[in-house]
Amino acid sequence: MMTQLGQGGVSSPRPGIKIKVVCRVRPFLKGEEQDNSVQVNHAERSLVVVNQRNPSEVLKYSFDNCYDSQATQEEIFTENLVPLLQEVCRGLDATVFCYGMTGAGKTHTIQGTPDHPGLIPQSMKAIFQRQKEFLAKATPGTSNKFDIQVSYMEIYKETVFDLFKPRDPGMKEGLMVREDAKRNVFVAGLEKKKIISLEQFELEFTKACKNRATAATRLNQQSSRSHAILGVDIKIEDGATNKVFKGKLNLIDLAGSEDNRRTGNDAMRLDESKAINTSLLVLGKVVDAINSRASRIPYRDSKMTRILQSSLGGKSLGMMFVNIAPAKKFFLETYQALNFATKSKEIVNNAVANETKEIPRVRSINLQSLTSKRPSTFSRPSSRLGFSRPPSRTGMEPKTEAGDANYRELASRLNSNTKKSNANALIRYANKKLEEGNIEEGLVSLRQAQEFSPDNPELQATILRLETKIKSPSKKAQTANSPASQGEAKVLASSMLSPPRGLKRPFSNTSALPSLSSPEPDDSPMKLFNGLTPRHSRTASSTDVSAETSKTDSLNSSTPSISTCRSLRSRSRQAKAPSQITAVTSDSSMTEEQKANAALSDRSHPLLALFQMGKPDILKGIWPSGVKTRNSVAEFVQTNGLSVLGDLIPDAVSKKVLLKAIRKFNAQ
Ligand SMILES: Nc1ncnc2c1ncn2[C@@H]1O[C@H](COP(=O)(O)OP(=O)(O)OP(=O)(O)O)[C@@H](O)[C@H]1O
């Protein structure tokens, strides 16, 4: 009897495999004005984008792989699809989809051209190659089998059509999406063609592509107006071991997200566009719901997500290509696509075998990472499975010298801002600890700050003074939370946070103390942290605060968010006096929910509510670096999903309030 593996045949699901996200920037097209606003570092798997709303900022995103316009179709395939195909041949399901604005290069990536074949033709070629080798390898006296079946459908305005069949104009409602007894979603009546050669596949596929709904928009002459899903079912029977492997590969070309003001759509196109954008929106919501481990995931809200259900949070391995157009005029679309992609990064699938270990992605800027090569997070294909892999590109450099220089310039801007920001975050944290009278912890934080700002004499002097204080037995006794010592600690701390011109110092008696702020007003920690510091430690006037809103805010946050900057600015304007907040949250007659809501209602960062709810320990536990800034929280939430926070909060009411607040915060 044959043992069946794959498609649910393996008994112990191993959760934890995330959807890999690969970013690809297409070349400039004819007629597009060239600029350097998007720069890719292939070796580091990241890209930086100049924030067109504030060109002094660059935004950095890291992915599992990142390709510039020079990347070849073969390179993309070999580095990303080959490992996945390996898994499919071992009985796993895998889904690959391309996301991006219209004209960003999705179809080019997934289908390609005869001269530059994309992921579909290359995958099919590799599968047939694998088939040939496997059949030839059969041990004498046994027979191996390797069957390939293919389906191809499109979802056009929420209606599913079989692309292998000519469109019947009378058939308006399309194919039905159903669920079988094992709760597997399938499309009823969708033809699965048995394919016996690559030539046959090419013939069938070319014919089917002609059935796909495309129409010219102002942005793309061959714009895809539908989502196209190619399903490849593989059944492998190993005669020697009597094992059967059933794997499935889905290759999906999503319709492009569109801004109708730019696509110049007529009424019908607008209708299509609405359906496209709605289904992509639902896809985004599904991704969000999965990331936040919501009890209800809105798969059913669109046909596409319903069909993709098993690929998003199900048993399938997943890979999303996010395609980017390089020109700065597409900044908003690029920004939106990158943010969408970083959400998708958080999906965890329950793969049934062969887990690939993912290095947790920390999206704050790693100072070393700008100069060193990251280790690969992709499993290398083994020759055993028959997929060869040419050497990948190595080294820091993008493919052109000009590109290299641009990248380095942007990266160094980013780097220096981040150093300041990290140092200031640590000083801010030290400040808090010193205010609490915890000199040891404050000192540790200052020493960490010194690593980012080694040449700051005031910082050195303060550390020295605190060290002497701690070493001296008489002073040690004094530091033990006596009001006097706490006051002294505060003064020391406040001296490090000297505000830029025009802002009052947090404490009044500091004029004689050395300041750790940089001589340039731009470098002032206060300036850098106005958008980030807990509000109750601020005394700046509202106009000062808004004028000084953190420049590094969007750089440091996980999703470098313009709207976040804006909302932080507006929140800063509404900053209340510290005593008001303390009064509200220390009112013992209020429930926790009331306290949280009170804290949230003044538009504070929702996570401050946790502090104010008296749960700083929870936050302490979840902060990766111990640096308590709004950015590190936002970053952590984005990297690990909202649910991580939620799970750490035992009180269901608080959790609900917190998650609601974070969502509200992220949506702003
Ligand atoms: N990597 C690339 N190399 C060369 N040309 C590319 C590349 N990526 C995209 N293009 C070209 O850019 C144009 C738009 O690409 P494509 O049609 O793939 O976009 P799309 O994202 O699929 O758009 P839509 O969603 O509207 O279908 C095409 O002319 C395509 O040939």
Side-chain angles (χ1 to χ4, degrees), residues 24 26-27 29 101-108 220 222-224 255-256:
R24 184 181 196 186
R26 72 152 164 77
L29 301 179
M101 65 163 257
T102 189
K106 299 181 295 296
T107 308
H108 184 85
N220 186 9
Q222 281 295 313
S223 185
S224 316

Side-chain angles (χ1 to χ4, degrees), residues 194-254:
K194 185 169 175 165
I195 304 283
I196 54 167
S197 70
L198 187 57
E199 293 69 32
Q200 185 202 352
F201 172 76
E202 280 169 1
L203 212 72
E204 297 285 2
F205 185 67
T206 313
K207 224 163 48 180
C209 283
K210 290 188 185 139
N211 291 331
R212 189 173 174 197
T214 60
T217 70
R218 218 189 278 159
L219 290 179
N220 186 9
Q221 285 307 302
Q222 281 295 313
S223 185
S224 316
R225 316 297 296 166
S226 62
H227 310 298
I229 305 175
L230 179 82
V232 185
D233 284 275
I234 293 173
K235 188 176 168 195
I236 301 174
E237 294 182 24
D238 188 331
T241 60
N242 265 0
K243 281 183 178 164
V244 178
F245 298 87
K246 277 180 167 183
K248 180 168 182 130
L249 175 67
N250 292 310
L251 293 158
I252 301 165
D253 183 9
L254 295 174

Side-chain angles (χ1 to χ4, degrees), residues 136-301:
K137 219 170 57 176
T139 14
T142 63
S143 72
N144 283 352
K145 282 189 187 163
F146 196 122
D147 289 337
I148 303 166
Q149 288 192 337
V150 173
S151 64
Y152 196 28
M153 73 184 109
E154 76 170 337
I155 305 168
Y156 175 68
K157 291 209 277 179
E158 285 302 275
T159 312
V160 184
F161 295 105
D162 190 339
L163 284 170
F164 280 144
K165 291 178 186 153
R167 183 80 47 85
D168 175 359
M171 192 183 157
K172 289 243 161 62
E173 65 278 9
L175 303 173
M176 303 305 287
V177 179
R178 298 233 159 84
E179 209 172 80
D180 66 17
K182 287 185 183 164
R183 311 207 68 187
N184 294 316
V185 177
F186 68 100
V187 178
L190 181 72
E191 184 178 356
K192 279 190 181 178
K193 276 186 193 290
K194 185 169 175 165
I195 304 283
I196 54 167
S197 70
L198 187 57
E199 293 69 32
Q200 185 202 352
F201 172 76
E202 280 169 1
L203 212 72
E204 297 285 2
F205 185 67
T206 313
K207 224 163 48 180
C209 283
K210 290 188 185 139
N211 291 331
R212 189 173 174 197
T214 60
T217 70
R218 218 189 278 159
L219 290 179
N220 186 9
Q221 285 307 302
Q222 281 295 313
S223 185
S224 316
R225 316 297 296 166
S226 62
H227 310 298
I229 305 175
L230 179 82
V232 185
D233 284 275
I234 293 173
K235 188 176 168 195
I236 301 174
E237 294 182 24
D238 188 331
T241 60
N242 265 0
K243 281 183 178 164
V244 178
F245 298 87
K246 277 180 167 183
K248 180 168 182 130
L249 175 67
N250 292 310
L251 293 158
I252 301 165
D253 183 9
L254 295 174
S257 51
E258 296 185 346
D259 181 341
N260 293 320
R261 288 162 301 182
R262 289 162 74 137
T263 46
N265 291 335
D266 61 25
M268 179 168 164
R269 300 281 94 90
L270 278 172
D271 214 25
E272 288 173 347
S273 196
K274 210 172 119 199
I276 293 168
N277 289 341
T278 307
S279 58
L280 292 174
L281 187 78
V282 175
L283 182 62
K285 280 188 184 165
V286 165
V287 165
D288 266 351
I290 292 168
N291 283 352
S292 58
R293 291 180 209 164
S295 53
R296 182 186 171 267
I297 298 170
Y299 288 121
R300 288 172 184 267
D301 290 3

